[in-house]
Amino acid sequence: MRSFRTPGFPRGQPLVDQYPPETRTSRRRLRACHECDWLVALPPLRGGQKADCPRCGHTLATRHHQPAQRSMALAVSALIALMLAASFPFVSFSVGGIGNNIELSQTATTLIGFHQPLVAIAVIMTILVLPAVYLLGVIWLQFGLLRGEPLPSSRNIARSLSHLHPWMMADVFIIGALVSLIKIAGMAQIELGVSFWAFCAFAILLLSTTQSLDSDWMWFSLSGEPLAPEGARSGQTAAPQGLTGCPTCGLVNRLSPQGTSRCRRCDERLHARMPHSLQRTWALLAAAAVMYVPANLYPIMTTTSLGHSTPSTIIGGVVELIQMGSWPIAAVIFTASVIVPVGKLVALSWLCLVVKRSNELNAGTRTRLYRLTEFIGRWSMVDVFVVAILVALIRAGSLMSITPGPAALAFGGVVVLTMLAAMTFDPRLIWDTPPPRATRDPQGISE
Ligand SMILES: [Zn+2]
Ligand SMILES: [Zn+2]
């Protein structure tokens, strides 16, 4: 994919608009970067091109070849793979001649039997329900666009898709399945069912579908492009001009004097900055930190073998894996359950702290750190999925059984709370703080 920087803020050059003032105030297709609030005029994009923010590098728009056909084809294939994955055995397991066969949905339903309904809901929503809703939404939307006449509720669906996106975790579930299978590989005979392979195909197709969605093109096809507000000047931040970019469809809107408004194109609520962003992020981080204590103190699961129960905590599980010699799996679990959540708590707290002070690190680096915390957060769910799969697979057998512990819920809570904390943090705040001294070095800002 060819990428080019939008004009107005070239790297390594002085901080001046290269365009004469008359074009700066032109009412071209304007976008305000979601991460740094820089107002940019989008260049015309052809298939295979994308436009990046010239200040922070965030992708403003991606244009695919034949976007509707592409998303439609991928979403239909993903939905077929999901249906196959839901209707055949996922994994079969046998020890000493006693076998057990599980289906995908049983990874969630078994948890209800062990009084873990919240964890069960989290599992079934993230691996089956939300992806299915998302794919149906994509198919509904693209079908209308291909017909040349959007189907009813298309705008509402298009708006919801971006909110569903982070909560679909099929790819994380596959890592969880692999970890659980390796964990019990030594004790039993394992066979991967049709559904396992169908689910792998589904996870890949789902990922391709989310990446194929060209929201800039989609919103243009649904509702056209209303003219940019009069007097909007690109090459500056949007907030001081009383403008803001819609987080859903990207359109630049004028805010009311109170700093709020609704998007003229998609009706999304708009704010100059997310309201109480820092306070909300702090509150969610504090809640996640509190939940992290029981998540580590209580057992995440209890293995009963021949009448002998062994509870294991998250760290205990890692130590056990090391003793078994499974270093790579121990590393995966340690990274997902300890390094990622703790790292996220520390990184977000630090970002919140330095927002109000000076730039101890330049804004570009802080934005990259924020993007990283937002990207890796969901991968912590691996351990919760491992518990769900093992519990379903090794149910109250006479030889061995695995039951979920209270830490599974606490740890799931940590993952959800840190994900919400990353979402409520407004990265534009990073760029709002002016540099302390007169060091407006363009390289320092654009790097
Ligand atoms: Zn930017
Ligand atoms: Zn909008």
Side-chain angles (χ1 to χ4, degrees):
M1 174 157 296
R2 252 185 70 202
S3 143
F4 61 84
R5 303 213 142 231
T6 41
F9 207 111
R11 276 185 179 238
Q13 285 180 33
L15 233 178
V16 291
D17 204 318
Q18 287 191 315
Y19 290 82
E22 60 273 19
T23 54
R24 255 187 276 151
T25 51
S26 81
R27 299 170 76 188
R28 288 176 293 168
R29 295 206 319 130
L30 293 185
R31 289 292 174 271
C33 175
H34 296 323
E35 296 197 344
C36 73
D37 210 29
W38 199 251
L39 206 60
V40 177
L42 278 188
L45 291 172
R46 283 198 304 271
Q49 291 183 326
K50 67 186 176 101
D52 291 342
C53 169
R55 182 154 75 151
C56 75
H58 176 66
T59 301
L60 298 168
T62 309
R63 182 63 18 90
H64 295 292
H65 297 283
Q66 305 204 306
Q69 285 91 333
R70 186 193 180 103
S71 301
M72 182 78 171
L74 285 165
V76 170
S77 329
L79 201 62
I80 293 171
L82 179 63
M83 286 193 280
L84 288 175
S87 30
F88 289 98
F90 190 62
V91 189
S92 60
F93 159 96
S94 72
V95 56
I98 305 161
N100 190 10
N101 227 335
I102 61 158
E103 284 181 11
L104 193 60
S105 55
Q106 281 174 287
T107 54
T109 49
T110 316
L111 287 168
I112 298 175
F114 289 108
H115 310 292
Q116 291 283 357
L118 289 174
V119 184
I121 290 171
V123 172
I124 200 89
M125 291 302 268
T126 52
I127 65 166
L128 283 175
V129 179
L130 295 182
V133 170
Y134 182 90
L135 291 170
L136 288 170
V138 171
I139 293 169
W140 182 264
L141 256 175
Q142 306 300 343
F143 183 73
L145 293 180
L146 282 171
R147 257 184 9 151
E149 191 187 321
L151 297 174
S153 312
S154 281
R155 280 169 10 126
N156 291 335
I157 291 171
R159 223 173 43 217
S160 319
L161 289 183
S162 58
H163 297 295
L164 281 180
H165 189 190
W167 303 104
M168 301 189 294
M169 302 191 187
D171 40 2
V172 184
F173 186 79
I174 290 190
I175 303 296
L178 292 176
V179 169
S180 10
L181 294 180
I182 293 170
K183 263 188 143 175
I184 54 165
M187 323 171 207
Q189 215 155 5
I190 293 158
E191 239 172 90
L192 301 174
V194 176
S195 156
F196 180 85
W197 300 112
F199 194 82
C200 289
F202 157 69
I204 295 168
L205 288 165
L206 179 65
L207 202 66
S208 315
T209 310
T210 57
Q211 284 174 352
S212 78
L213 274 194
D214 184 340
S215 73
D216 187 57
W217 175 85
M218 199 168 70
W219 279 104
F220 184 78
S221 312
L222 280 174
S223 315
E225 172 96 13
L227 277 181
E230 219 156 328
R233 294 166 80 89
S234 59
Q236 306 177 0
T237 44
Q241 304 182 56
L243 304 170
T244 195
C246 170
T248 301
C249 75
L251 189 75
V252 171
N253 289 268
R254 189 164 290 287
L255 291 165
S256 70
Q258 289 76 38
T260 56
S261 173
R262 275 193 180 269
C263 177
R264 288 172 292 154
R265 180 156 68 169
C266 71
D267 205 36
E268 186 77 81
R269 271 172 203 281
L270 302 175
H271 306 277
R273 296 289 176 266
M274 277 190 241
H276 311 295
S277 165
L278 288 180
Q279 290 94 320
R280 284 185 191 183
T281 309
W282 274 125
L284 288 162
L285 286 176
V290 169
M291 292 279 263
Y292 197 63
V293 177
N296 278 285
L297 287 182
Y298 286 102
I300 193 154
M301 59 186 169
T302 303
T303 314
T304 309
S305 183
L306 302 166
H308 182 69
S309 295
T310 343
S312 58
T313 56
I314 291 175
I315 290 291
V318 173
V319 172
E320 218 171 276
L321 282 166
I322 293 174
Q323 282 164 353
M324 277 164 62
S326 310
W327 278 95
I329 301 299
V332 168
I333 293 290
F334 187 72
T335 308
S337 309
V338 181
I339 297 180
V340 169
V342 172
K344 241 185 119 166
L345 283 174
V346 173
L348 280 172
S349 308
W350 181 75
L351 284 172
C352 285
L353 271 179
V354 296
V355 147
K356 291 224 165 151
R357 289 203 244 134
S358 61
N359 56 341
E360 290 170 32
L361 249 178
N362 73 53
T365 312
R366 280 188 279 154
T367 305
R368 278 196 290 275
L369 178 67
Y370 169 71
R371 271 179 219 158
L372 184 70
T373 59
E374 208 187 18
F375 173 75
I376 59 172
R378 50 205 277 286
W379 288 94
S380 300
M381 277 297 268
V382 164
D383 225 11
V384 177
F385 290 145
V386 168
V387 173
I389 294 165
L390 287 181
V391 166
L393 207 51
I394 310 177
R395 266 171 306 169
S398 49
L399 287 170
M400 197 172 132
S401 74
I402 292 184
T403 49
L409 177 62
F411 190 73
V414 173
V415 179
V416 171
L417 288 168
T418 50
M419 280 176 73
L420 289 172
M423 285 174 200
T424 51
F425 181 79
D426 192 334
R428 293 172 296 188
L429 296 173
I430 293 174
W431 297 82
D432 281 346
T433 324
R437 286 179 299 276
T439 50
R440 269 192 160 261
D441 162 26
Q443 252 142 354
I445 294 171
S446 65
E447 272 311 309

